[in-house]
Amino acid sequence: TLATMKRITKKEIVYSHMGQLVIKDRICYSTFLQNTGSDGEDHHSVTSGVVLAIFSLDRIMSDDFDVDKDIEFYPVGKKGDTCAGYNSISIFKDNSMCLVGNKMYVCFSFTAEDGKSHIFRKTFDICKKEWVEEVAVELEYKGKKYSFTDETLNIVYTDKGLEPRAKGLIELVSAWSEYKGEYYATGIAIERPNNGFIVKTTDFKTMTLVDAVPFNDMGTAEIGSYIYKGMLFVACRQFYGIPYMY
């Protein structure tokens, strides 16, 4: 792989994280957090932002691939930006993406002025090459719709007899897996150890809770999931410093 390695961030970018990639018709779509500054993914960084990068598979496989000429960048957002009527007081983070037809659904979270961490979704039309919609995501639980926030996760945890320790940005970064027309993913809040969750959706606007992850009491950061032969497999990273996964 070393011989084919290509950098897809510009030379002024010194930090990048949480990359996802989708390829359709030999066009690559990638979302990731990037930072020109020295504070990485610090939640109060003013130089960190999430972007959507679009580039040709043929061009990136060529020897003369040029980041400046061959990649189009479309900002998703950064601290101080507004989305769906909410003002961000933290960075945009924890992006996930799913391409359905010609619509790329990009989900992410930030802390709003109400002090809660919310999940949002922006829609990118890959034919028009423009953002066409943005919404604050709702979580449906037991037939009732809530704003998808860390506060709502604690309602779920409490109801299920789990410790209500959800706090901070919601890390919804697993790839989306399709099953019978619905898309499944896993996530967690990242400031305290907590159980995490599994959701499903058809429109990436309303997500239905499938379950909390009962065995993941000390979970944090990335949770990965994948559907194989009708079964959802989940891989859970543990709280910082715990050197194993479930």
Side-chain angles (χ1 to χ4, degrees):
T1 58
L2 183 60
T4 63
M5 194 78 72
K6 301 291 196 308
R7 176 171 172 155
I8 62 169
T9 54
K10 293 188 175 184
K11 60 183 178 181
E12 63 265 25
I13 302 300
V14 298
Y15 180 89
S16 190
H17 189 37
M18 300 200 167
Q20 293 202 347
L21 177 67
V22 173
I23 301 175
K24 180 181 180 181
D25 299 331
R26 303 189 69 79
I27 300 298
C28 305
Y29 305 87
S30 181
T31 53
F32 47 87
L33 178 153
Q34 64 177 23
N35 195 342
T36 56
S38 60
D39 53 1
E41 57 187 290
D42 182 90
H43 291 178
H44 300 289
S45 172
V46 296
T47 49
S48 171
V50 175
V51 297
L52 168 65
I54 302 178
F55 49 94
S56 161
L57 180 61
D58 296 322
R59 288 299 304 142
I60 203 165
M61 294 288 284
S62 68
D63 292 335
D64 61 345
F65 174 76
D66 187 320
V67 171
D68 293 321
K69 295 179 181 178
D70 293 325
I71 299 185
E72 298 174 87
F73 291 95
Y74 296 86
V76 176
K78 63 184 187 305
K79 181 181 177 181
D81 287 349
T82 298
C83 182
Y86 289 82
N87 298 319
S88 62
I89 62 171
S90 77
I91 62 172
F92 284 47
K93 198 186 176 190
D94 314 315
N95 53 288
S96 70
M97 60 191 298
C98 187
L99 181 62
V100 182
N102 292 322
K103 299 293 178 63
M104 181 70 74
Y105 297 106
V106 180
C107 300
F108 51 90
S109 71
F110 63 70
T111 302
E113 290 178 319
D114 59 8
K116 302 172 189 177
S117 294
H118 297 252
I119 289 184
F120 299 89
R121 182 263 281 166
K122 284 190 174 184
T123 305
F124 188 86
D125 187 312
I126 64 171
C127 295
K128 297 178 180 178
K129 286 192 174 181
E130 62 183 30
W131 298 108
V132 293
E133 187 185 27
E134 58 185 39
V135 297
V137 176
E138 293 184 314
L139 180 65
E140 184 174 357
Y141 177 58
K142 290 187 173 181
K144 182 178 178 180
K145 291 183 180 180
Y146 302 82
S147 295
F148 202 151
T149 67
D150 49 353
E151 181 179 84
T152 297
L153 288 177
N154 283 328
I155 293 173
V156 171
Y157 290 159
T158 299
D159 188 52
K160 291 180 173 291
L162 305 172
E163 289 293 325
R165 296 192 300 249
K167 182 175 174 58
L169 295 180
I170 302 171
E171 193 148 298
L172 181 64
V173 297
S174 74
W176 291 90
S177 297
E178 187 270 340
Y179 181 70
K180 294 185 176 180
E182 296 180 303
Y183 296 85
Y184 289 72
T186 43
I188 201 163
I190 64 176
E191 282 191 25
R192 297 174 181 167
N194 62 112
N195 290 79
F197 57 86
I198 304 165
V199 291
K200 65 179 181 178
T201 188
T202 56
D203 60 7
F204 301 88
K205 178 180 181 181
T206 299
M207 297 181 185
T208 301
L209 184 85
V210 176
D211 204 357
V213 187
F215 57 83
N216 192 39
D217 181 61
M218 294 297 289
T220 196
E222 299 87 355
I223 296 183
S225 57
Y226 187 77
I227 292 176
Y228 178 69
K229 293 185 177 180
M231 300 288 288
L232 178 73
F233 293 83
V234 183
C236 303
R237 177 179 171 179
Q238 297 306 281
F239 197 65
Y240 308 109
I242 299 176
Y244 56 82
M245 296 182 71
Y246 284 139

